[in-house]
Amino acid sequence: MSDLSWAERARDLFPGGVNSPVRAFRNVGAEPFFVKRAEGARLWTEEGQELVDWIGSWGPMVVGHLHPVVKAAIEEALAEGSSFGACSRREVELGEEIRARMPVAEMLRLVSSGTEATMSAARLARGFTNKSKIVKFRGCYHGHSDSFLIAAGSGALTFGNPSSPGVTEGTARDTLVAEYNDLPAVEALFAANPDEIACVIVEPVAGNMGLVAPQPGYLEGLQSLCREHGALFIVDEVMTGFRLARGGATERLGLSPDLVTLGKIAGGGLPLAAFGGRREVMEKLSPLGPVYQAGTLSGNPLACAAGLATLRLLDDALYSRLEAKGEFLEAALNEALAGLPLCVQRVGSMLTVFVHPGPVLSMREVDNCDREAFGRFFRGMLAEGHFLPPAQFEAFFISDAHVQDDLASLAAAAGRQARLALAG
Ligand code: PLP
């Protein structure tokens, strides 16, 4: 037995003690806890503290942790073997379920992480259009592949390296960046780079600079610009897919992307992601076409089982419950925070409390949030038993397992802790 704590042992092993940066809690000035187990909307730490979980593994746990139906599906799949490296029926069942919800995904490819999904979709867009540049938006996060680590959101933003060292100048040159919600900026990029832009990739509702909703007409405008200039419109639904509606933000906002990327909920808490889209585009993918893409664990049977079981739980009644909880929480937070220079932004079951008077429409405003105050707020909320995203630039995720008391208790604690945080 070691005398060292889990955190001390982890720090000796893993850079920053973690296997994904935001888990280190560095930007909120807290010591990370280690999770022993999770059930419903609760986590229990190795030290025995019980926490209401507002992260839900950063989105996937939309039905709550250890849902009995999902657990049973994983156990049933496990009894038949955990990985084959060959075709198995659950891939087809999951693919059909995804396509039924998102008809724009006429064909799909299953992968193991959102990073892989977006990276592969961008390569496919380049291969299909024979153009090399991509357009992304400041503060949007599309995983950590090189092309997307330019002005990236989420942890990249939290740790002050939105454009990572290690990404070559050549790669950076091919990534054009515009401000979110600024359509004229994208028009200008198309005008300045004629016949060079392969795709525009966007978070339809941004969650990785905190929750920022698209302004009316913005996404439709991006879609039209892509059509006009022969670029593919990629909607990154890794976070929003199956969360904001049965068919994700694509359905909720009435979009017709050429390609859509999925992850998180699609794997029900196990490592699975996907990208899909127009048949003509997807047929360019190996082995039908020349654009290469592959994965040892792609379509893993346990992950397919978890994803399928989760998706089958997501019916209209569940989406209505999530929407109602979101509305209640937004109203309760607004009441608790009334008169304070904070703003609450929400779409469906995703929400952010910005330490900014708002409205927050893009990184221009996000840049002016009081991050120190957010850190104090996070620590105070944790002490009151609420585990918030450990960074200002992330969304809270409401799950079907959160009950009215959880929502009311979060709002009441937020009212107290925001006042303390602002007092310094
Ligand atoms: N795209 C979006 C919109 C995301 O939110 C994320 C992760 O948070 C990713 C891509 C990357 O997914 P992953 O962390 O599974 O690689």
Side-chain angles (χ1 to χ4, degrees):
M1 274 288 281
S2 169
D3 290 339
L4 299 174
S5 69
W6 290 113
E8 286 163 330
R9 287 163 68 180
R11 272 197 293 271
D12 189 49
L13 274 172
F14 311 122
V18 293
N19 290 305
S20 194
V22 285
R23 297 182 197 170
F25 293 7
R26 287 170 94 99
N27 261 59
V28 286
E31 197 39 35
F33 55 79
F34 277 62
V35 179
K36 185 173 172 64
R37 71 181 191 93
E39 194 170 342
R42 297 278 186 289
L43 297 175
W44 286 267
T45 70
E46 289 286 350
E47 283 71 38
Q49 193 188 1
E50 179 177 327
L51 297 169
V52 186
D53 176 21
W54 298 99
I55 292 185
S57 189
W58 298 98
M61 313 315 293
V62 66
V63 293
H65 294 281
L66 211 63
H67 190 289
V69 171
V70 180
K71 181 171 177 254
I74 296 170
E75 284 170 349
E76 195 188 312
L78 179 60
E80 295 171 358
S82 60
S83 182
F84 312 129
C87 303
S88 62
R89 71 174 194 283
R90 288 186 176 86
E91 298 167 65
V92 180
E93 291 179 303
L94 177 63
E96 286 176 349
E97 178 70 32
I98 292 174
R99 183 171 60 183
R101 290 167 167 266
M102 248 182 213
V104 293
E106 292 171 353
M107 294 186 96
L108 286 153
R109 169 75 37 104
L110 303 181
V111 294
S112 301
S113 71
T115 293
E116 266 184 272
T118 54
M119 174 185 77
S120 310
R123 182 185 308 137
L124 180 58
R126 286 171 162 145
F128 181 79
T129 59
N130 285 318
K131 300 174 186 176
S132 51
K133 295 191 175 167
I134 64 176
V135 174
K136 76 172 289 288
F137 300 94
R138 196 156 77 95
C140 281
Y141 180 67
H142 305 292
H144 61 91
S145 73
D146 287 2
S147 301
F148 296 128
L149 278 185
I150 317 290
S154 192
L157 190 56
T158 303
F159 295 105
N161 295 312
S163 303
S164 173
V167 175
T168 64
E169 260 180 57
T171 301
R173 258 200 307 277
D174 280 338
T175 301
L176 308 174
V177 180
E179 209 66 52
Y180 194 74
N181 271 327
D182 184 350
L183 198 54
V186 183
E187 279 175 52
L189 287 178
F190 273 110
N193 298 272
D195 278 328
E196 287 186 279
I197 297 176
C199 62
V200 173
I201 185 165
V202 67
E203 285 185 66
V205 171
N208 286 297
M209 53 176 128
L211 194 287
V212 177
Q215 292 299 288
Y218 171 63
L219 296 170
E220 294 79 354
L222 291 181
Q223 188 169 289
S224 304
L225 279 174
C226 286
R227 301 279 189 272
E228 200 181 310
H229 293 275
L232 299 192
F233 183 45
I234 306 180
V235 172
D236 183 356
E237 292 237 40
V238 168
M239 190 180 275
T240 53
F242 315 120
R243 174 163 285 280
L244 295 185
R246 273 182 68 84
T250 298
E251 175 193 302
R252 185 171 174 131
L253 305 173
L255 304 172
S256 320
D258 298 289
L259 290 173
V260 61
T261 51
L262 299 163
K264 301 195 190 264
I265 291 175
L270 267 66
L272 185 141
F275 62 103
R278 274 168 50 205
R279 186 172 295 273
E280 182 197 4
V281 179
M282 292 300 290
E283 282 180 346
K284 284 278 181 281
L285 209 56
S286 187
L288 281 186
V291 178
Y292 197 69
Q293 194 286 328
T296 300
L297 295 175
S298 293
N300 174 269
L302 303 191
C304 286
L308 191 60
T310 300
L311 290 185
R312 286 181 174 159
L313 289 167
L314 303 179
D315 57 13
D316 292 343
L318 185 140
Y319 286 110
S320 302
R321 289 198 295 275
L322 283 183
E323 195 68 42
K325 287 177 193 181
E327 266 171 35
F328 175 86
L329 183 59
E330 181 182 3
L333 281 169
N334 275 328
E335 197 182 313
L337 302 173
L340 302 179
L342 275 77
C343 77
V344 179
Q345 296 196 173
R346 175 188 73 90
V347 175
S349 55
M350 293 165 59
L351 173 150
T352 294
V353 176
F354 286 103
V355 189
H356 184 287
V360 176
L361 299 176
S362 71
M363 280 301 298
R364 290 190 190 111
E365 295 81 32
V366 175
D367 279 337
N368 292 322
C369 289
D370 186 338
R371 295 165 64 163
E372 293 292 317
F374 184 86
R376 292 190 289 275
F377 180 62
F378 170 89
R379 296 194 298 273
M381 293 298 285
L382 192 61
E384 292 214 32
H386 289 280
F387 177 34
L388 305 185
Q392 171 72 99
F393 313 117
E394 307 284 357
F396 300 24
F397 296 102
I398 304 168
S399 80
D400 200 36
H402 287 108
V403 295
Q404 198 76 6
D405 270 0
D406 297 329
L407 305 168
S409 140
L410 176 76
R416 287 188 290 276
Q417 292 304 328
R419 281 172 179 80
L420 291 172
L422 291 169

